Amino acid sequence: MKPLYKLAAISLVIFAQGCTSLGNEGKQPATMGQLVIAEPMPVNYKSEIALARLTEVIQRAEITDLQKAQLYYDRGVIFDSVGLRSLARLDFNRALRLKPDLVDAYNFLGIHFTQLQEFNQAYDSFDSALDLAPEHDYAYLNRGIALYYGGRPGLAKDDFATFHQKQTNDPYRLIWLYLAEQKVDQEKALANLKAKVDLIHDDTWAKQIIYLYLDELPQSQFIDQLTDNIQSNKELTDRLCEAYFYLGKYSQIHGHPNVAANYFKLALSTNVYEFVEHRYAKLELELMREKIAGKAAPVN
């Protein structure tokens, strides 16, 4: 194995007191364990250069509307990858005005509407993508996520099942299917998860997430293994973004929302903006705050 690059990572004990803005809860584990924290990923200078060049071409070059639509889309993707969601959304809309059949722009807009909790608009965007490209795998994933957060886990389960069937050895497809199924029938969801776990190769790191959910891997051991086979800070931040998001979902399922909130914040701290887990860690926190605010609201 190559020697590890110098990782800007430290271990610390985070006590599960939760953040006070999310309210108090009942009995919890004493600590969240010995966690690894990575240095947040900086904006890649290549992305900044690409944004500058695309902007110059859009403003100055003599190009067709179709070419300009593609450039707007490409710039929107880069804006999205560095966390500039509003600018990305503007470019995706500009691209669609010039090229109304740009499938991937609909898919991205659907993701953004989901993050904004504009679920009906999200469904419309994903439906448009699938009308134009019925085999668009990730439109099924993203529509399933919108349905999941929109409070329709039964329909979400159907989309996740379709997405999973297209690549049954992908652990993330199985995890999202489980998350929707456990909202419908937790016992059946665990049985289905256990039945499908052997489809995933043992060398796939994310299989450990499934063992965690099956309670076949202790949480402390899962955390201890997070740095296994990591060669760079980029690999570390990618893994931690995923791991802490799914630890947050695991904590939610087991009735520890304050612990879950801390994990979601840790996922956000990686700055891996383009990952599904980073996108929805923020939404998870917003939904938790809204739930607490709703409970605290006076009854008329």
mmCIF file of all heavy atoms in Angstrom, residues 103 126-140 143 162 166:
data_model
loop_
_atom_site.group_PDB
_atom_site.id
_atom_site.type_symbol
_atom_site.label_atom_id
_atom_site.label_comp_id
_atom_site.label_asym_id
_atom_site.label_seq_id
_atom_site.Cartn_x
_atom_site.Cartn_y
_atom_site.Cartn_z
ATOM 1 N N VAL A 103 -32.446 17.017 -21.317
ATOM 2 C CA VAL A 103 -32.895 16.108 -20.258
ATOM 3 C C VAL A 103 -32.172 16.351 -18.940
ATOM 4 O O VAL A 103 -32.795 16.440 -17.878
ATOM 5 C CB VAL A 103 -32.688 14.639 -20.707
ATOM 6 C CG1 VAL A 103 -32.997 13.679 -19.563
ATOM 7 C CG2 VAL A 103 -33.553 14.332 -21.912
ATOM 8 N N PHE A 126 -38.664 15.896 -12.933
ATOM 9 C CA PHE A 126 -38.219 14.519 -13.159
ATOM 10 C C PHE A 126 -39.125 13.804 -14.166
ATOM 11 O O PHE A 126 -38.638 13.008 -14.978
ATOM 12 C CB PHE A 126 -38.170 13.754 -11.845
ATOM 13 C CG PHE A 126 -37.137 14.272 -10.878
ATOM 14 C CD1 PHE A 126 -37.473 14.573 -9.568
ATOM 15 C CD2 PHE A 126 -35.828 14.469 -11.288
ATOM 16 C CE1 PHE A 126 -36.525 15.057 -8.683
ATOM 17 C CE2 PHE A 126 -34.866 14.957 -10.411
ATOM 18 C CZ PHE A 126 -35.217 15.256 -9.104
ATOM 19 N N ASP A 127 -40.428 14.089 -14.105
ATOM 20 C CA ASP A 127 -41.340 13.503 -15.090
ATOM 21 C C ASP A 127 -40.959 13.955 -16.503
ATOM 22 O O ASP A 127 -40.999 13.154 -17.453
ATOM 23 C CB ASP A 127 -42.791 13.902 -14.793
ATOM 24 C CG ASP A 127 -43.352 13.206 -13.554
ATOM 25 O OD1 ASP A 127 -42.714 12.244 -13.072
ATOM 26 O OD2 ASP A 127 -44.420 13.630 -13.069
ATOM 27 N N SER A 128 -40.593 15.230 -16.644
ATOM 28 C CA SER A 128 -40.164 15.733 -17.957
ATOM 29 C C SER A 128 -38.910 15.013 -18.428
ATOM 30 O O SER A 128 -38.792 14.631 -19.602
ATOM 31 C CB SER A 128 -39.901 17.248 -17.884
ATOM 32 O OG SER A 128 -41.086 17.957 -17.601
ATOM 33 N N ALA A 129 -37.956 14.805 -17.502
ATOM 34 C CA ALA A 129 -36.727 14.100 -17.862
ATOM 35 C C ALA A 129 -37.035 12.682 -18.322
ATOM 36 O O ALA A 129 -36.489 12.206 -19.330
ATOM 37 C CB ALA A 129 -35.766 14.086 -16.675
ATOM 38 N N LEU A 130 -37.926 12.001 -17.597
ATOM 39 C CA LEU A 130 -38.231 10.604 -17.930
ATOM 40 C C LEU A 130 -39.120 10.498 -19.170
ATOM 41 O O LEU A 130 -39.038 9.505 -19.898
ATOM 42 C CB LEU A 130 -38.889 9.923 -16.730
ATOM 43 C CG LEU A 130 -37.918 9.642 -15.574
ATOM 44 C CD1 LEU A 130 -38.658 9.250 -14.312
ATOM 45 C CD2 LEU A 130 -36.920 8.553 -15.965
ATOM 46 N N ASP A 131 -39.940 11.501 -19.427
ATOM 47 C CA ASP A 131 -40.709 11.509 -20.679
ATOM 48 C C ASP A 131 -39.770 11.583 -21.877
ATOM 49 O O ASP A 131 -39.999 10.934 -22.909
ATOM 50 C CB ASP A 131 -41.672 12.699 -20.704
ATOM 51 C CG ASP A 131 -42.883 12.497 -19.801
ATOM 52 O OD1 ASP A 131 -43.137 11.339 -19.395
ATOM 53 O OD2 ASP A 131 -43.552 13.496 -19.480
ATOM 54 N N LEU A 132 -38.706 12.378 -21.742
ATOM 55 C CA LEU A 132 -37.756 12.547 -22.830
ATOM 56 C C LEU A 132 -36.761 11.394 -22.921
ATOM 57 O O LEU A 132 -36.288 11.059 -24.010
ATOM 58 C CB LEU A 132 -36.992 13.865 -22.649
ATOM 59 C CG LEU A 132 -37.813 15.144 -22.848
ATOM 60 C CD1 LEU A 132 -37.061 16.347 -22.282
ATOM 61 C CD2 LEU A 132 -38.120 15.358 -24.322
ATOM 62 N N ALA A 133 -36.434 10.806 -21.769
ATOM 63 C CA ALA A 133 -35.442 9.725 -21.723
ATOM 64 C C ALA A 133 -35.874 8.699 -20.686
ATOM 65 O O ALA A 133 -35.420 8.738 -19.533
ATOM 66 C CB ALA A 133 -34.069 10.289 -21.388
ATOM 67 N N PRO A 134 -36.768 7.777 -21.062
ATOM 68 C CA PRO A 134 -37.327 6.816 -20.100
ATOM 69 C C PRO A 134 -36.283 5.940 -19.400
ATOM 70 O O PRO A 134 -36.567 5.388 -18.337
ATOM 71 C CB PRO A 134 -38.258 5.958 -20.967
ATOM 72 C CG PRO A 134 -38.598 6.820 -22.135
ATOM 73 C CD PRO A 134 -37.369 7.629 -22.397
ATOM 74 N N GLU A 135 -35.097 5.808 -19.963
ATOM 75 C CA GLU A 135 -34.056 4.972 -19.356
ATOM 76 C C GLU A 135 -33.050 5.779 -18.551
ATOM 77 O O GLU A 135 -31.980 5.278 -18.215
ATOM 78 C CB GLU A 135 -33.325 4.180 -20.458
ATOM 79 C CG GLU A 135 -34.218 3.218 -21.222
ATOM 80 C CD GLU A 135 -34.919 2.222 -20.295
ATOM 81 O OE1 GLU A 135 -34.242 1.645 -19.406
ATOM 82 O OE2 GLU A 135 -36.136 2.038 -20.445
ATOM 83 N N HIS A 136 -33.382 7.013 -18.236
ATOM 84 C CA HIS A 136 -32.470 7.875 -17.477
ATOM 85 C C HIS A 136 -32.428 7.388 -16.026
ATOM 86 O O HIS A 136 -33.267 7.733 -15.206
ATOM 87 C CB HIS A 136 -32.950 9.323 -17.545
ATOM 88 C CG HIS A 136 -31.927 10.331 -17.108
ATOM 89 N ND1 HIS A 136 -31.435 10.403 -15.822
ATOM 90 C CD2 HIS A 136 -31.294 11.320 -17.797
ATOM 91 C CE1 HIS A 136 -30.561 11.386 -15.733
ATOM 92 N NE2 HIS A 136 -30.450 11.959 -16.924
ATOM 93 N N ASP A 137 -31.401 6.606 -15.694
ATOM 94 C CA ASP A 137 -31.312 5.962 -14.382
ATOM 95 C C ASP A 137 -31.480 6.936 -13.232
ATOM 96 O O ASP A 137 -32.261 6.714 -12.301
ATOM 97 C CB ASP A 137 -29.960 5.264 -14.224
ATOM 98 C CG ASP A 137 -29.914 3.931 -14.944
ATOM 99 O OD1 ASP A 137 -30.809 3.680 -15.765
ATOM 100 O OD2 ASP A 137 -28.981 3.147 -14.686
ATOM 101 N N TYR A 138 -30.713 8.027 -13.287
ATOM 102 C CA TYR A 138 -30.635 8.898 -12.119
ATOM 103 C C TYR A 138 -31.880 9.759 -11.941
ATOM 104 O O TYR A 138 -32.105 10.293 -10.850
ATOM 105 C CB TYR A 138 -29.359 9.723 -12.158
ATOM 106 C CG TYR A 138 -28.175 8.853 -11.793
ATOM 107 C CD1 TYR A 138 -27.458 8.168 -12.778
ATOM 108 C CD2 TYR A 138 -27.824 8.653 -10.459
ATOM 109 C CE1 TYR A 138 -26.421 7.329 -12.433
ATOM 110 C CE2 TYR A 138 -26.788 7.805 -10.112
ATOM 111 C CZ TYR A 138 -26.080 7.153 -11.097
ATOM 112 O OH TYR A 138 -25.058 6.300 -10.759
ATOM 113 N N ALA A 139 -32.687 9.871 -12.976
ATOM 114 C CA ALA A 139 -33.974 10.547 -12.770
ATOM 115 C C ALA A 139 -34.864 9.705 -11.858
ATOM 116 O O ALA A 139 -35.650 10.251 -11.071
ATOM 117 C CB ALA A 139 -34.663 10.800 -14.112
ATOM 118 N N TYR A 140 -34.741 8.378 -11.936
ATOM 119 C CA TYR A 140 -35.495 7.506 -11.017
ATOM 120 C C TYR A 140 -34.987 7.673 -9.589
ATOM 121 O O TYR A 140 -35.773 7.763 -8.642
ATOM 122 C CB TYR A 140 -35.388 6.038 -11.443
ATOM 123 C CG TYR A 140 -36.230 5.690 -12.637
ATOM 124 C CD1 TYR A 140 -35.653 5.488 -13.890
ATOM 125 C CD2 TYR A 140 -37.616 5.560 -12.524
ATOM 126 C CE1 TYR A 140 -36.431 5.175 -14.998
ATOM 127 C CE2 TYR A 140 -38.400 5.246 -13.626
ATOM 128 C CZ TYR A 140 -37.806 5.050 -14.855
ATOM 129 O OH TYR A 140 -38.577 4.752 -15.952
ATOM 130 N N ARG A 143 -36.041 11.296 -8.463
ATOM 131 C CA ARG A 143 -37.484 11.402 -8.220
ATOM 132 C C ARG A 143 -37.856 10.604 -6.975
ATOM 133 O O ARG A 143 -38.707 11.040 -6.189
ATOM 134 C CB ARG A 143 -38.287 10.917 -9.429
ATOM 135 C CG ARG A 143 -39.795 11.195 -9.283
ATOM 136 C CD ARG A 143 -40.565 10.846 -10.527
ATOM 137 N NE ARG A 143 -40.566 9.403 -10.795
ATOM 138 C CZ ARG A 143 -41.182 8.831 -11.820
ATOM 139 N NH1 ARG A 143 -41.840 9.592 -12.704
ATOM 140 N NH2 ARG A 143 -41.132 7.526 -12.004
ATOM 141 N N THR A 162 -36.826 0.402 -9.100
ATOM 142 C CA THR A 162 -36.461 0.468 -10.517
ATOM 143 C C THR A 162 -34.983 0.809 -10.666
ATOM 144 O O THR A 162 -34.261 0.198 -11.456
ATOM 145 C CB THR A 162 -37.311 1.533 -11.239
ATOM 146 O OG1 THR A 162 -38.685 1.175 -11.138
ATOM 147 C CG2 THR A 162 -36.925 1.633 -12.711
ATOM 148 N N LYS A 166 -31.504 -1.842 -12.010
ATOM 149 C CA LYS A 166 -30.595 -1.551 -13.111
ATOM 150 C C LYS A 166 -29.138 -1.829 -12.747
ATOM 151 O O LYS A 166 -28.285 -1.945 -13.625
ATOM 152 C CB LYS A 166 -30.770 -0.086 -13.554
ATOM 153 C CG LYS A 166 -32.126 0.190 -14.204
ATOM 154 C CD LYS A 166 -32.303 1.668 -14.490
ATOM 155 C CE LYS A 166 -33.656 1.952 -15.116
ATOM 156 N NZ LYS A 166 -33.768 1.456 -16.491
#
